[in-house]
Amino acid sequence: RLPFSRVTEEDLAFFRSVLPGRAVTDPDLLESSNQDWLKSVRGSSELLLRPRTSEEVSQILKRYCNHRNLAVNPQGGNTGLVGGSVPVHDEIILSTALMKDIRSFDSVSGILTCQAGCVLEDLSLYLEDRDHIMPLDLGAKGSCHIGGNVATNAGGLRLLRYGSLHGTVLGLEVVLADGRVLDCLATLRKDNTGYDLKQLFIGSEGTLGVITAVSILCPRKPRSVKVAFLGCDTFEQLLKTFQLCRAMLGEILSAYEFLDSECMRLLNTHLQLSNPIRDCRFYIVMETSGSDPTHDEEKLHSFLEAAVTSSLVTEGTVATEDSKIKALWALRERITEALTHHGYTYKYDVSLPVEQLYQLVTDMRGHLQGRAKSVVGYGHVGDGNLHLNISSQAKDPALLAAIEPFVYEWTARHRGSVSAEHGLGLKKRNYIYYSKSSQAVALMGQLKALLDPKGILNPYKTLPDEQ
């Protein structure tokens, strides 16, 4: 534990005066906020603060935490997978759960401005009624907050079509460690006046400031959505199918995901989800979305005909109705849930050149030689993002020692990134050098020292220990 102050009765009195009824000390209520979604990391915070406005966040930080040297753990929906969203020791938990106002939506530009605590699925439903959609879609959409999505630069299922949050987020409101409210909540698509400060906070995991509001560019709702579920015998065929897909579907391709046969087995065993096609080694979940149903259907039909004729795809099914589309997407979105029923899971989220994407899974299986209960691979082929998951009966230090640093060395050797979209958090912070130079990490440390000189914001996360 770093030498931060501990919460006193005097501190509690102040927080209760600023947040009447919203300074929580009940251990039972704190339980879920102290533990991450995977139940792999647990903190020991004795105080949960639930502000409603950026002004309250400012008071908490400026008038107290920064002055008193009290460490703070910003927390959104607590759906993170690298231990970044929960305390390590007794840091005060600063939750955005009550910050869920939608401030404005411009139907002409498609720009939504809202508080950081808005749940992603709620925003999606709000926009659906207004003929728009959110530019990101995640398996955790029913729980995750948009502020947390931005703080971790969440990628999700449709990055292939709409790009990353670095492009779709137009503005942010951020409270700095000293309580200053940084208003960069622009709603302009073009603003070339000086440094683009908001980019610093996208993906910073709450270590540089607390995101309290977001303005984000939202696409029009597509008139025609279709999902194909396809099977391939080899990963090479899967990649060639992707090449063909991009060439023939072009602008209507919105997602291209994959899972292996071991993922399918776990979905069937633990969640009773059935395979809609015959057994294959690899499966593709592919989505098209466009404005002309007839045009889109013709393009998809031509693509599928070419893929089958050239023996790239061995089996497939297409869904156009909402219920069937959701059923096919569940086979990709619920893999993490299935893994939680399978045992203790070591999770890795890496970016690699697409031709190397599955080789890491194959090499890891060979490297572990049966010591793991299962080694599975799935992820986003469209943006070269592999989710490698290794299961064991229980937490196993010997297995972990065999996995790490092998997985990071392999990734670095193939010029990949050790974190594609999950962030570094607590678990991966000391592996940053496999993806970033020492000069880059040193500059990150200098930025942290500039914006948070006392280091009170989400300590022990993102940056390596020596920083």
Side-chain angles (χ1 to χ4, degrees):
R1 184 183 184 279
L2 293 172
F4 297 112
S5 301
R6 297 184 186 275
V7 176
T8 65
E9 284 299 321
E10 186 180 345
D11 299 332
L12 285 175
F14 170 79
F15 292 127
R16 285 168 177 155
S17 70
V18 174
L19 306 174
R22 292 175 283 129
V24 180
T25 56
D26 184 333
D28 291 336
L29 296 176
L30 277 158
E31 175 71 19
S32 60
S33 296
N34 263 313
Q35 184 170 262
D36 74 330
W37 187 81
L38 289 172
K39 295 181 170 53
S40 62
V41 179
R42 182 190 293 272
S44 55
S45 177
E46 297 179 351
L47 178 61
L48 168 67
L49 302 179
R50 291 160 62 89
R52 289 197 179 104
T53 65
S54 57
E55 289 75 17
E56 288 180 343
V57 175
S58 176
Q59 283 188 305
I60 290 164
L61 295 178
K62 179 180 181 179
R63 290 178 56 191
Y64 228 81
C65 292
N66 193 54
H67 175 70
R68 279 272 295 124
N69 196 33
L70 289 165
V72 176
N73 179 92
Q75 186 177 92
N78 196 15
T79 59
L81 301 175
V82 290
S85 58
V86 293
V88 176
H89 298 289
D90 57 352
E91 301 91 89
I92 295 169
I93 302 169
L94 181 62
S95 170
T96 59
L98 300 183
M99 303 180 71
K100 48 190 180 184
D101 289 344
I102 294 175
R103 294 183 179 176
S104 66
F105 175 66
D106 184 339
S107 59
V108 176
S109 65
I111 297 169
L112 173 77
T113 302
C114 63
Q115 285 187 298
C118 292
V119 173
L120 181 59
E121 189 169 43
D122 292 344
L123 293 176
S124 297
L125 294 171
Y126 172 88
L127 289 168
E128 191 172 339
D129 291 339
R130 289 155 179 82
D131 206 31
H132 283 71
I133 61 172
M134 287 296 287
L136 74 160
D137 189 16
L138 310 172
K141 60 191 168 201
S143 305
C144 64
H145 297 180
I146 187 62
N149 298 150
V150 174
T152 57
N153 190 26
L157 303 169
R158 297 197 177 97
L159 189 141
L160 173 66
R161 174 71 171 269
Y162 300 116
S164 78
L165 290 171
H166 279 291
T168 55
V169 170
L170 302 181
L172 293 177
E173 178 185 81
V174 182
V175 181
L176 302 180
D178 62 6
R180 284 177 293 166
V181 180
L182 181 65
D183 185 357
C184 292
L185 204 57
T187 55
L188 301 172
R189 295 190 66 176
K190 284 187 170 183
D191 180 3
N192 202 16
T193 52
Y195 308 131
D196 192 358
L197 294 177
K198 71 175 181 292
Q199 299 295 348
L200 279 176
F201 302 96
I202 300 173
S204 66
E205 302 186 76
T207 61
L208 299 181
V210 179
I211 294 171
T212 52
V214 177
S215 61
I216 188 165
L217 182 64
C218 302
R220 287 293 297 264
K221 181 181 177 181
R223 294 280 178 268
S224 164
V225 176
K226 296 174 173 55
V227 172
F229 190 81
L230 311 174
C232 296
D233 288 330
T234 68
F235 197 73
E236 184 181 7
Q237 288 175 338
L238 186 146
L239 292 180
K240 287 182 178 178
T241 303
F242 178 52
Q243 285 181 292
L244 182 67
C245 179
R246 287 171 63 196
M248 296 189 69
L249 297 177
E251 78 288 350
I252 67 170
L253 179 64
S254 52
Y256 193 95
E257 303 285 305
F258 92 96
L259 56 147
D260 63 15
S261 57
E262 183 66 6
C263 288
M264 182 61 76
R265 186 182 70 81
L266 297 180
L267 288 164
N268 181 252
T269 301
H270 299 296
L271 303 180
Q272 288 73 55
L273 297 182
S274 57
N275 185 351
I277 61 176
R278 73 174 177 83
D279 290 344
C280 300
R281 283 193 64 207
F282 297 98
Y283 302 93
I284 299 163
V285 184
M286 190 189 79
E287 181 188 79
T288 63
S289 53
S291 58
D292 185 337
T294 303
H295 167 267
D296 297 350
E297 187 172 350
E298 287 173 356
K299 291 191 80 164
L300 181 59
H301 178 77
S302 297
F303 158 73
L304 292 172
E305 189 174 47
V308 171
T309 302
S310 56
S311 300
L312 295 177
V313 168
T314 57
E315 188 89 7
T317 184
V318 176
T320 56
E321 299 172 15
D322 281 351
S323 60
K324 292 179 180 177
I325 285 173
K326 287 176 181 176
L328 291 182
W329 267 121
L331 295 169
R332 167 61 182 85
E333 291 183 323
R334 298 185 68 187
I335 296 170
T336 297
E337 182 186 348
L339 283 158
T340 62
H341 296 287
H342 193 56
Y344 188 88
T345 306
Y346 298 93
K347 304 184 75 66
Y348 300 93
D349 155 58
V350 299
S351 280
L352 290 164
V354 287
E355 63 273 11
Q356 305 284 346
L357 207 58
Y358 199 74
Q359 191 59 46
L360 175 56
V361 183
T362 303
D363 289 357
M364 182 60 76
R365 285 173 179 155
H367 173 69
L368 294 179
Q369 296 182 335
R371 281 178 282 181
K373 192 174 180 183
S374 65
V375 179
V376 308
Y378 62 96
H380 320 287
V381 175
D383 48 63
N385 181 187
L386 171 72
H387 295 305
L388 169 70
N389 286 246
I390 301 162
S391 297
S392 59
Q393 200 66 45
K395 202 169 184 178
D396 184 348
L399 178 60
L400 179 61
I403 299 168
E404 298 178 11
F406 175 85
V407 64
Y408 300 121
E409 292 171 346
W410 196 102
T411 300
R413 195 163 59 247
H414 292 83
R415 300 187 66 79
S417 169
V418 300
S419 177
E421 62 179 1
H422 291 171
L424 295 168
L426 171 71
K427 295 180 179 179
K428 310 294 167 71
R429 69 197 188 284
N430 287 320
Y431 297 112
I432 191 171
Y433 291 109
Y434 285 101
S435 295
K436 290 289 188 291
S437 69
S438 57
Q439 294 94 333
V441 176
L443 183 57
M444 291 179 197
Q446 290 170 358
L447 286 169
K448 169 72 170 173
L450 175 67
L451 294 173
D452 180 18
K454 293 187 177 181
I456 65 167
L457 291 178
N458 223 10
Y460 322 105
K461 317 283 177 60
T462 307
L463 293 174
D465 288 345
E466 66 269 20
Q467 291 285 354

